[in-house]
């Protein structure tokens, strides 16, 4: 297989232009899917026979939880690439993905809590999935904390890559152990582990919102990456001409 | 400078800094003491919680014990000297962590029975608790070492370190307390012990490597 | 023999290029003195040569080669004493000497300790030494090492005049035995021949 | 160098270390997380224990928040400079502790409600817990400062000091959790609050003095 | 005027008397240079004079008096720069200067920073400075202080030659204005008149 396209894309400069071209697509198409999914889910999907209308928060909650996990994996892979191949784009990705992922994890936690109030009667339950999202959130915060603590960028890149990679290796272990822990000691008050048998008109909008939120998050991450690339490459000629073109 | 001379010096420092060892153990005792005093001292409340409390305290104390394990090496240039003398940073790290663990676990095991009494730990679980500590704490130390290496340039990096390390601690905490609870129910906890050993193996290989990456970066 | 050959070396810190490109070779039996103003980048050059700091441009060849193996070969022959010296504050002088130089015979130890006038504080913690005494503990390696390439960052700063002349004596002896030295200093050297490289 | 410039620099350092502040709060959260996971996650266990757990975590977090507060001042010669410039070490200490406390307590108070939810703290006790933290933590900080000043160089006597400081922590812990429990039972807890305030007054006077003595001794 | 009069001063560390008794006076407009080997006890003498270290024998009179008040009076007039300088690694150069010297006018700051060639790293953290640059940050006090008695422990160690001459210039200016200096150093001074005290 020919990898030259990959190497070309992995150069900060060409990625900058690539992402600049595609961010609009990601943001707009993602937003479109999101809106369609949400409107469909909120206005047209049938009521849940158990939970009534409160279940509709699922159209934000589940996508957020899924994107939060997906972004951590992406970030961990970028960290791996950075440590092994020292690609210049990788630390940019780690730095940019962390806050977006943290945001999504926070969104999942908040919407989950809001949902928990009417269904369980409490804001919080030490359920396996909930706990693992909380841990995910804390791991994101750890990486953000490293970037904020060190003002030497080279150092903070290296260190956050180490932490992200360790986290990636541990993620399945954490997930597994939390699942195991919860099912042994505390039979879940409300089981999240079984796939709800949804009718398709509930399930399809969910798929829309998941894909939509993914695309929007990627778009946001791209924008962040562009700023970081400009900052890191500010001494190069192409950035200088880019800046003079803009202003 | 050889592996031997470095680890010999490390042992000497460990003996010289009896104080530091005493501190992290005192911390352990303090955490355990705070709990009955701050929450509730009734045996019916404490007994089922006791091994969990001991484990929580061990987690916190192990982080404290490793905080700053590399800080001095970095600021006095020792890490440069290891590399100049052809020592693999990863192996030195492993040796240092091992020494810390030994100086930590031995007195801890002496303390645990007393803490167990204080927390009304059922006597039948004493041995299981000790055994779980023996198997689980090396992994905690290796994980904490990663956190310590990432925060080695920070003057007070203890807190950041804890933030990084605790999510990694949870599986160990879950399975070792799970083991004790299984014994309490009379179920054999072989599965948990096997898992704990598997964790140990994984961290044994990975942690020194990660530590060496971040220490080298910090020494630039 | 060419121990080290530095070509058009540039170093960046915080996106700032420190000095204009530097080219030099280090041969056996040679002493190179790097001078320059405070903050010019002398210490950084030494650390880059040792591979502790990444370089932003130019190349460094070790023992005539570019490979990892020749770098490792080179590193084996190096003694480095930087601004931070690897001396542990909470160990005694004797313990530090064995830490830094491996196990020592008693006569070796006594000889070097006498030469450096550390005999009175052999069992004292290094935390309790004066600035110059601490430096001397690190410098003891000059007599105890078998390495042939010495990389010294301001070895004579905060030494008294007798300390300076002892160190310069060690350098001369080392050169006679075919060793090589690359060092920085702000003070004048009394050594007859050395190559001076000015960083700016 | 004036009181103003020292405390201004201290504020700057505090702001520069926003992350540090965030971290010690995260530490607080993380400790609180350990308990449900390590001990038991059932609300029937957590609810009665929750305010106690929050207080235990606050004790530990306060110790860590002050760990190393003087270490840098000692090693970089700042303490010499205070004295040369005619500043009373005790007052500088007081200012530093105060700044640390403010940067600690404000975000803590924001966090406590969430931790309360997570631990199933009865909502009626939320305000009481917060109030007890407000009154009790300054004393903890002043006490921890003594420990920090003694361990700033780690000369002998540190064990002694920790052994002295921890028993001093206990009354604070006892009376503040006692206050919350009293409110739970519907009894007014004025007595406990009065005692907490009395402790605060005593430590406010004594702690800076002790700190200054041991810092001066360490700087010899 | 007699600022300081030291009589038969002795200092013990770890039950060892460091040097044979020392006697000297410090007058206005005078510079005293303390010399001696590494570990002779020069830094200890300075710290004893400032009252940071207890003395084991002899006496120190401040401003002609023995009382606590005259000591406090004396301390108010002192500027001290020791081996450790009070420069904070996690503050920038500018912030360190305001910390050490109180609030500064911009023109004052610019002037001293230009003189010490720190203009390029004004906003850099001191952790990231070279050894000599960090020393320069501490030495900036020489131009910004109003104190008349300067106590300097190896002020020119690890400075480059331009740095040394700047510092010596500051010392001369200070003497002309009627100040007094007591300092240690291992390097030769180019200043014309000074009193030398040898510790051994
Ligand atoms: C803070 C609280 C909560 C968190 C952190 C949380 C987290 C999660 C996570 C991680 C997923 C899995 C997404 C995936 O990978 O498929 C999920 C899915 C789901 N959650 Fe929550 N959840 C919370 C509260 C709730 C509540 C209160 C309910 C409803 C009563 C709920 C209902 C669901 C449903 C129905 C799914 C979809 C299950 C599936 O498709 O597999 N969650 N949540
Ligand atoms: N904290 C301490 N505790 C015990 N002894 C000490 C301590 N600090 C220094 N000493 C001893 O006091 C003696 C004098 O030290 P001092 O720092 O005054 O020397 P110095 O003349 O300034 O030397 P240098 O030229 O190396 O700076 C030394 O022999 C040292 O071993
Ligand atoms: N960790 C760091 N991060 C960023 N910049 C640094 C770091 N260390 C040093 N620098 C910068 O690199 C430059 C060169 O530093 P270096 O220590 O090499 O100087 P030097 O020539 O050895 O000076 P000196 O004579 O004072 O020892 C300085 O301007 C300094 O500000
Ligand atoms: Mg240098
Ligand atoms: Mg000295």
């Amino acid at each position: 297989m020919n990898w030259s396209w990959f190497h070309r894309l992995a150069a900060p400069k060409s990625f900058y232009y690539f992402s600049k071209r595609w961010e609009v697509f990601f943001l707009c198409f993602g937003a479109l899917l999101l809106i369609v999914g949400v409107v469909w889910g909120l206005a047209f999907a049938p009521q849940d026979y158990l939970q009534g209308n409160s279940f509709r928060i699922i159209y934000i909650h589940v996508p957020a939880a899924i994107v939060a996990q997906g972004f951590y994996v992406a970030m961990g892979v970028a960290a791996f690439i950075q440590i092994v191949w020292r690609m210049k784009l990788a630390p940019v990705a780690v730095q940019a993905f962390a806050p977006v992922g943290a945001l999504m994890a926070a969104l999942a936690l908040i919407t989950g809590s809001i949902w928990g109030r009417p269904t369980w009667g409490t804001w919080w339950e030490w359920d396996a999935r909930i706990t693992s999202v909380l841990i995910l959130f804390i791991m994101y915060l750890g990486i953000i904390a490293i970037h904020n603590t060190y003002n030497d960028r080279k150092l903070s890149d290296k260190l956050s890559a180490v932490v992200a990679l360790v986290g990636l290796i541990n993620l399945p272990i954490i997930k597994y152990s939390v699942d195991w822990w919860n099912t042994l000691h505390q039979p879940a008050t409300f089981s999240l582990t079984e796939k709800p048998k949804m009718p398709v008109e509930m399930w399809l909008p969910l798929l829309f919102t998941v894909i939509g939120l993914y695309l929007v998050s990627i778009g946001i991450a791209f924008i962040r990456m562009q700023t970081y690339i400009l900052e890191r490459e500010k001494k190069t000629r192409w950035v200088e001409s880019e800046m003079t073109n803009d202003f | 400078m050889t592996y031997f001379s470095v680890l010999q010096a490390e042992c000497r420092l460990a003996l010289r800094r009896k104080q530091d060892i005493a501190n992290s153990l005192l911390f352990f005792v303090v955490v355990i003491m705070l709990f009955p005093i701050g929450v509730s001292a009734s045996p019916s409340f404490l007994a089922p919680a006791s091994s969990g409390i001991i484990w929580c305290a061990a987690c916190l104390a192990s982080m404290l014990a490793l905080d700053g394990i590399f800080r001095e090496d970095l600021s006095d240039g020792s890490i440069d000297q290891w590399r100049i003398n052809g020592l693999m940073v990863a192996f030195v790290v492993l040796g240092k962590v091992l020494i810390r663990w030994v100086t930590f676990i031995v007195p801890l095991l002496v303390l645990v029975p007393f803490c167990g009494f204080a927390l009304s730990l059922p006597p039948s679980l004493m041995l299981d608790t000790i055994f779980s500590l023996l198997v689980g704490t090396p992994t905690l130390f290796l994980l904490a070492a990663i956190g310590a290496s990432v925060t080695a340039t920070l003057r007070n990096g203890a807190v950041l370190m804890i933030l990084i390390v605790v999510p990694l601690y949870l599986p160990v905490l879950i399975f070792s307390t799970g083991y004790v609870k299984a014994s309490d129910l009379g179920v054999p906890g072989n599965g948990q012990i096997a898992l704990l050993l598997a964790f140990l193996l994984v961290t044994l290989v990975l942690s020194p490597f990660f530590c060496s990456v971040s220490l080298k970066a910090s020494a630039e | 023999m060419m121990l080290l050959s530095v070509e058009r070396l540039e170093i960046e810190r915080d996106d700032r290029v420190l000095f204009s490109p530097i080219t030099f070779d280090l041969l056996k039996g040679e002493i190179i003195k790097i001078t320059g103003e405070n903050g010019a980048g002398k210490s950084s050059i030494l650390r880059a040569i040792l591979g502790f700091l990444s370089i932003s441009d130019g190349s460094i060849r070790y023992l005539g080669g570019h490979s990892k193996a020749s770098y490792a070969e080179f590193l084996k022959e190096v003694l480095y004493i930087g601004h931070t010296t690897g001396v542990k504050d909470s160990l005694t002088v004797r313990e530090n000497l064995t830490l830094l130089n491996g196990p020592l015979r008693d006569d070796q130890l006594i000889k070097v300790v006498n030469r450096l006038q550390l005999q009175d504080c052999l069992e004292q913690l290094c935390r309790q030494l004066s600035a110059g005494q601490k430096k001397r503990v690190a410098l003891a390696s000059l007599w105890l090492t078998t390495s042939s390439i010495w990389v010294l960052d301001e070895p004579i700063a905060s030494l008294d005049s007798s300390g300076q002349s002892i160190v310069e004596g060690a350098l001369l002896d080392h050169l006679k035995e075919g060793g090589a030295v690359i060092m920085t200093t702000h003070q004048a050297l009394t050594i007859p021949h050395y190559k001076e490289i000015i960083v700016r």
Side-chain angles (χ1 to χ4, degrees), chain C:
Chain C
M1 196 198 140
M2 181 93 73
L3 297 174
L4 186 76
S5 115
V6 172
E7 232 169 278
R8 303 195 58 74
L9 174 72
E10 281 188 18
I11 297 177
E12 269 179 29
R13 294 206 98 147
D14 275 343
D15 296 330
R16 190 166 55 88
V17 177
L18 289 186
F19 42 77
S20 45
I22 279 188
T23 305
F24 64 88
D25 297 325
L26 178 65
L27 302 176
K28 254 193 170 154
E30 193 179 55
I31 192 164
I32 289 185
K33 178 183 157 192
I34 302 181
T35 53
E37 295 186 347
N38 288 135
K42 301 178 294 300
S43 306
S44 305
I45 291 178
L46 296 188
R47 294 183 69 78
I49 287 174
L50 297 173
F52 294 168
L53 191 65
S54 43
I55 64 180
S56 63
D57 209 359
S59 75
I60 305 177
R61 279 198 300 163
Y62 301 100
L63 307 174
H66 262 301
S67 66
K68 270 210 142 171
S70 60
Y71 165 66
E73 201 58 37
F74 171 81
L75 216 53
K76 264 193 208 132
E77 282 305 311
V78 164
L79 168 77
Y80 170 60
I81 302 177
H83 281 303
T84 56
T85 54
V87 171
K88 296 248 171 239
D89 270 355
S90 343
L91 290 177
T92 65
V93 172
R94 182 199 292 273
E95 288 166 348
N96 261 308
L97 291 179
T98 31
L99 165 63
L100 291 169
N101 307 291
L104 295 176
R105 289 194 319 278
D106 254 5
D107 58 319
Q108 266 182 313
L109 187 80
I110 300 294
K111 206 168 130 196
V112 70
V113 156
N114 280 339
R115 175 160 301 157
L116 288 167
Q117 288 165 312
L118 291 170
Q119 63 275 32
D120 293 335
C121 39
L122 202 53
E123 305 302 341
Q124 218 169 339
L125 293 188
C126 284
R127 182 199 315 289
Q128 301 179 338
L129 296 184
S130 78
Q133 286 171 326
K134 219 182 273 181
K135 193 95 190 198
R136 282 164 185 251
V137 174
L139 289 171
S141 299
L142 297 185
W143 287 270
L144 299 171
T145 187
T146 55
S147 305
S148 65
I149 306 169
W150 291 2
V151 180
L152 310 176
D153 204 353
E154 301 198 23
I156 53 180
S158 76
L159 287 190
D160 58 21
S161 55
S162 81
Q164 285 182 29
S165 57
I166 296 170
V167 170
E168 293 188 350
L171 296 185
L172 283 180
D173 290 348
H174 183 57
L175 293 190
K176 271 189 211 123
E177 289 163 14
V181 178
I182 175 164
M183 65 184 286
T184 70
T185 178
H186 292 299
Q187 275 145 288
L189 289 185
T190 56
I191 287 176
H193 308 289
Y194 57 84
K195 207 151 89 183
E196 183 158 358
I197 289 172
I198 297 167
V199 182
R200 77 179 119 235

Side-chain angles (χ1 to χ4, degrees), chain B residues 136-193:
Chain B
T137 48
T139 315
L140 296 186
F141 268 65
L142 288 164
L143 291 173
I146 299 178
S149 71
V150 167
T151 54
T153 44
L154 301 179
R155 272 267 157 170
N156 13 17
V159 180
L160 178 57
M161 162 181 166
I162 291 170
L163 173 63
I164 291 168
V165 166
V166 161
L168 310 177
Y169 266 29
L170 291 187
V172 180
L173 181 62
I174 287 173
F175 286 110
S176 42
T177 53
Y179 166 74
V180 179
K181 276 177 193 156
S183 316
D184 194 18
L185 300 172
V187 186
N190 298 343
Q192 285 92 328
I193 292 295

Side-chain angles (χ1 to χ4, degrees), chain A residues 53-83:
Chain A
N53 275 323
S54 73
F55 94 99
R56 294 182 195 279
I57 203 169
I58 198 175
Y59 297 108
I60 305 174
H61 170 71
V62 172
I66 290 177
V67 172
Q69 295 169 31
F71 262 57
Y72 198 95
V73 174
M75 187 177 73
V77 171
F80 179 79
I81 291 175
Q82 184 194 341
I83 287 178

